[in-house]
Amino acid sequence: MNEVQFSKTSIIKYLVFTFGSAWIFQVCAFFLYKNNLMLFGQLVIALTMFFPLLGTLVSGNKLKGMGWMPRFKGNILMLLTAWFSPIVFTALGALLYFALFPSHFDLSGSYLIEAAGEDAVRQMNEQGIDFQKYLLIITASCLTNAPFINMFLAVGEETGWRGFLYPQLKARFGRIPGLTIGGIIWSCWHWPLIWLTGYEYGTDYVGFPLVGMLLFCIFCIFCGIICDVIYEKSKSIWFPALFHGSTNAACSLPLVICITNAPTNSSLLGPIPNGLISCIPMVLFAIMLMIINGKKKAEGLTP
């Protein structure tokens, strides 16, 4: 990766384009959802993931030097971390959440019925797929192909956040402040979806949407730290993209085994990995990485 020189002008151009275009698309997605055009709304949201990449180009920066050739030699640990750690965080976070709220645990398949409809579930049953088999299938997908499919969408975001913005912020403010500011910016980029569509936390909680926005900041700060460390260690933009894609693949799994009529404010706590309780494993891992990295720098083992 190239040595970074801070450019205030480039950051302003990047943020104006990336936020302006993405927020417009997010508002469009809201109206599509409102008119029951869910598939088109999801497509629009998926397209917004490429605006950080485009914003990098619009700001006058090049993509060269971000590590577009996957580096597997010496990076097996980073590959395994990017691939599997999100589902470990998700599982541990859900376990912690359901340990505190055991009455929310549900293996009846009620979530699937509400999400897909009774007709779809009936068709699945006719094909010999009951709820338990469905759960095994989607879990297997999260462990195998889904992270790599999502990676090709996530690389649009990772190019802008980890490839361009984070190095700029770290060069200007230092490592920890830069990562914190970067995480807040990354979270704010999602705010119209949280406000308009109830993205991640729904709408049934006290303090909507501000509390959800602030909580998502916490998640993005620590998730961004892990992505940044993976990027620095692997020197390839595909590795944080894989972590991002794996996180997106695993994040909804706990909802499938959670009651659908959970009490008000419970969505802020979990069971998805950006809940206040269920994000604890990921937060602890991010803090551990920062401590280890800080010690190595102090010992002069890393640049």
Side-chain angles (χ1 to χ4, degrees), residues 171-188:
R172 173 63 179 83
F173 300 104
R175 183 169 182 78
I176 294 179
L179 291 173
T180 303
I181 295 169
I184 293 171
I185 292 173
W186 186 23
S187 171
C188 293

Side-chain angles (χ1 to χ4, degrees), residues 9-10 13-14 16-18 51-61:
T9 302
S10 291
K13 289 180 180 179
Y14 170 82
V16 168
F17 175 85
T18 303
F51 284 125
L53 185 154
L54 294 175
T56 302
L57 296 173
V58 168
S59 64
N61 292 274

Side-chain angles (χ1 to χ4, degrees), residues 122-131 133-134 137:
R122 190 182 307 110
Q123 291 176 10
M124 285 174 50
N125 292 335
E126 290 173 354
Q127 296 173 9
I129 303 175
D130 57 15
F131 177 70
K133 287 184 179 179
Y134 169 78
I137 290 170

Side-chain angles (χ1 to χ4, degrees), residues 22-34 45 190-200 202-203 205 208-210 213:
W23 280 13
I24 290 172
F25 267 55
Q26 289 177 33
V27 171
C28 291
F30 162 68
F31 284 108
L32 289 170
Y33 282 158
K34 193 175 181 180
I45 291 175
H190 297 83
W191 278 8
L193 285 178
I194 295 175
W195 174 34
L196 296 172
T197 71
Y199 177 73
E200 301 294 359
T203 60
Y205 58 86
F208 169 82
L210 182 59
M213 292 174 174

Side-chain angles (χ1 to χ4, degrees), residues 85-86 88-90 92-93 96 201 214-227 229 243 247 269 272-292:
S85 67
V88 174
F89 299 147
T90 300
L92 291 176
L96 181 59
Y201 304 107
L214 295 177
L215 182 54
F216 199 61
C217 279
I218 296 174
F219 173 78
C220 284
I221 288 170
F222 289 99
C223 187
I225 288 172
I226 299 173
C227 284
V229 171
F243 178 87
T247 299
L269 303 177
I272 58 176
N274 48 30
L276 189 60
I277 291 174
S278 48
C279 76
I280 291 175
M282 184 200 69
V283 169
L284 293 177
F285 184 74
I287 293 173
M288 182 190 72
L289 288 180
M290 291 299 292
I291 292 173
I292 292 173

Side-chain angles (χ1 to χ4, degrees), residues 70-85:
R71 302 167 183 262
F72 296 109
K73 186 177 180 180
N75 274 330
I76 298 302
L77 179 60
M78 287 298 102
L79 174 64
L80 295 176
T81 300
W83 188 351
F84 294 114
S85 67

